[in-house]
Amino acid sequence: MEKDIVIIGGGPGGYTAAIRAAQLGADVLLIEAENLGGTCLNKGCIPTKALYQNARMIHDLNRTEEFGIRLAGFTVDFGEMMRRKQGITDRLKEGIAQLVKANSIEMMFGKASLAEGKTVRVIDSNGSENIIHAGNIIIATGSVPLKAPIAGIDLPGVMTSDEILSIGKIPDSLAVIGGGVIGIEF
């Protein structure tokens, strides 16, 4: 297979580059290992903002008496909060997929690696290999959580930002190491 531009990574950098290149007339292949939208949409900014909004709502409900509003009480359904978070990310992923399709961008899901020259090798989930020859290659592979070399990092209850987005209940307490965007929102 030959393409004008091969983009490795379907996050905000990759899919926007793919859309713009296609709009300018390039024959584009966008390769993504997991989910369109990358870290930001799937494991970062968007899900943490959704959960932050839930936390903000709980905070405000706990303060209603300051505003002369007395509630008989309320309950928190953490499972529903997590379903809401997932629904938001799913809708946004579908929107990106529609943009990719509308711009006639070919998608391939799999693990990409660079080979000799301007060649990209992709192994899909079935283990099949695809070789793509590219006029140009854009690498927009995003990020992964770092497990810092800290004593105790492998103890039970220590989680990465990816893992905490899949927990089943609100923790009684939480210490966050790292002051990046995702850490701050947690």
Side-chain angles (χ1 to χ4, degrees):
M1 172 188 306
E2 291 197 29
K3 293 289 179 182
D4 296 333
I5 301 175
V6 172
I7 301 170
I8 303 170
Y15 75 77
T16 57
I19 290 168
R20 187 64 182 137
Q23 290 170 342
L24 293 171
D27 184 17
V28 179
L29 173 65
L30 179 60
I31 303 167
E32 171 54 43
E34 292 181 42
N35 294 300
L36 278 173
T39 299
C40 179
L41 175 54
N42 294 286
K43 300 174 182 179
C45 313
I46 301 303
T48 57
K49 281 179 178 56
L51 291 173
Y52 173 78
Q53 185 60 40
N54 283 88
R56 184 79 209 156
M57 179 68 70
I58 293 166
H59 174 77
D60 288 347
L61 286 169
N62 281 318
R63 296 182 57 223
T64 58
E65 287 193 16
E66 293 176 33
F67 298 91
I69 302 167
R70 287 174 182 72
L71 298 175
F74 63 91
T75 59
V76 174
D77 183 339
F78 189 66
E80 187 56 36
M81 289 170 59
M82 295 300 272
R83 283 187 288 283
R84 175 182 172 273
K85 170 202 57 104
Q86 192 58 50
I88 290 167
T89 60
D90 289 346
R91 282 191 302 276
L92 291 172
K93 278 191 289 194
E94 182 57 34
I96 294 168
Q98 291 300 320
L99 286 170
V100 167
K101 184 178 180 181
N103 283 281
S104 302
I105 298 163
E106 187 174 345
M107 270 301 310
M108 185 178 289
F109 287 92
K111 197 84 164 158
S113 60
L114 299 176
E116 190 172 319
K118 292 183 179 180
T119 303
V120 178
R121 178 179 179 245
V122 181
I123 306 295
D124 67 21
S125 61
N126 297 323
S128 298
E129 179 182 72
N130 296 282
I131 302 294
I132 302 100
H133 302 283
N136 292 284
I137 300 169
I138 297 174
I139 301 171
T141 53
S143 63
V144 294
L146 169 71
K147 281 207 168 188
I150 300 170
I153 197 78
D154 293 323
L155 291 173
V158 178
M159 297 175 271
T160 67
S161 56
D162 286 1
E163 294 161 342
I164 197 169
L165 284 169
S166 298
I167 60 174
K169 70 180 194 84
I170 299 173
D172 294 329
S173 63
L174 179 67
V176 178
I177 299 172
V181 175
I182 297 168
I184 289 171
E185 289 178 344
F186 278 120

